[in-house]
Structures are given as C-alpha cells and as structure tokens.
Amino acid sequence: METNVQSNRPRPTRIVGIDFGLARIGIALSDEQKIIATPLTTFKAFKRTEETVLKLAEELKRHAESNRYDIAEIVIGLPLMMSGKQGFLADEVVHFVSLLKNYFNIPIVTWDERLTSVQADRSLRESSLSRKRRAKAVDAVAAIIILQSYLDSKRFEKNAI
C-alpha cells in the first residue's frame, strides 16, 4: 500500500502583490521563501469593483490551487499623494481591500506605493519594448516593485531583531 508523504506536509505559501488600477490590475507573486517578487499577470478590471474583486479572488485561488501553494498574505499598493494624504484612487483601494477581505481569511495589507508606476515606467523605457508593450507591462512591473519593497522591509525587520 502506497502512502502519500506529501499530504502530511503543509503546502508552501506565497505572498501576492497587487497594483490596483481602475482599468488594469498588476499582480506579482513571491517565491516560497518570500525573498523575490516575480510578475504573475495583468488582470483587466471590470466596471463594477464588486465584479472585479470576485473574478480576481477566483483567479488567485485557481492559480494557487493549480500550482499547489497557499496564499499567506496579500499586499496592495496604496497610492498616496506626495503629501501623504489619500486621494480618490487611494479611497478606491481601501474599498477594494474591504471587498477582498470577504474572499480571503488571510492578512491583506496596504503598502505605500508612491512613485512605483513612475519607477516601473522608467525601468521599462530602458528595455527594448515598444510603447504599446510597455503600457501593458507597467502594471505587473509596478506590482513587482510594491511586493519586492514589502518583502525587503519584512526581511530587514526580521534581521533587525
């Protein structure tokens, strides 16, 4: 009789990074050690935020299941103004997070994402991608920057203790 040793082991976990936008949502994923962020996809947003959240939650859960990992945490970029105050888009992110919490029983945190889209656009401009391809990639790259910044800060916190 064969036994499945794998079933007794906990599944690996990863952290998801999200760059929220009204038209597109960039998604990045950490490695299992939670050290490196990589692009996952760019998700097309729907007109209704509730529909976007539902479809996004389904997509994230489907990806996790098919790749045999659990989502440990979700980090969503909070687009604060340079003054540190919340504007319209930051309010939309807060609403998005409140809806997303209905689909996941894990920490969902916001992360200051000031200038990440600018940084993403600059790094893509240095590549050989056309303007059209850069526009499609900027959201996923911004999600990588958000998630990598978060992972680095957690590693720094852990090492500082």
Side-chain angles (χ1 to χ4, degrees):
M1 185 171 154
E2 261 182 62
T3 58
N4 186 356
V5 178
Q6 298 252 17
S7 66
N8 294 337
R9 279 193 217 149
R11 284 174 34 154
T13 61
R14 295 175 182 246
I15 298 175
V16 173
I18 296 177
D19 177 50
F20 177 83
L22 296 174
R24 292 177 312 275
I25 297 171
I27 305 170
L29 193 62
S30 77
D31 61 331
E32 293 172 5
Q33 290 76 35
K34 298 167 191 70
I35 297 170
I36 299 170
T38 55
L40 182 58
T41 189
T42 300
F43 187 84
K44 187 179 179 318
F46 294 87
K47 287 186 180 181
R48 291 184 52 245
T49 306
E50 294 79 7
E51 187 176 1
T52 300
V53 170
L54 171 66
K55 300 292 186 189
L56 178 64
E58 288 173 351
E59 183 64 30
L60 290 175
K61 288 177 181 183
R62 186 174 18 259
H63 188 271
E65 192 56 42
S66 66
N67 290 281
R68 294 185 171 84
Y69 67 89
D70 290 327
I71 300 171
E73 192 172 359
I74 298 174
V75 181
I76 302 177
L78 185 65
L80 299 172
M81 293 190 272
M82 292 310 290
S83 66
K85 293 182 179 173
Q86 285 188 199
F88 168 75
L89 201 53
D91 291 340
E92 288 294 313
V93 168
V94 170
H95 177 62
F96 180 81
V97 168
S98 71
L99 294 172
L100 198 58
K101 286 182 177 181
N102 294 321
Y103 296 94
F104 292 96
N105 192 23
I106 56 172
I108 300 176
V109 298
T110 57
W111 190 253
D112 185 353
E113 69 153 46
R114 280 178 274 190
L115 300 179
T116 55
S117 292
V118 172
Q119 187 179 353
D121 191 50
R122 269 195 200 132
S123 62
L124 286 170
R125 240 187 264 145
E126 293 170 8
S127 72
S128 59
L129 293 176
S130 68
R131 182 184 295 225
K132 192 174 184 178
R133 286 201 160 172
R134 277 198 319 261
K136 286 183 178 179
V138 74
D139 299 300
V141 172
I144 294 168
I145 293 168
I146 291 164
L147 181 55
Q148 191 64 58
S149 169
Y150 181 77
L151 294 172
D152 292 347
S153 77
K154 288 192 68 113
R155 211 169 50 242
F156 179 76
E157 265 178 26
K158 196 184 293 183
N159 291 339
I161 296 174

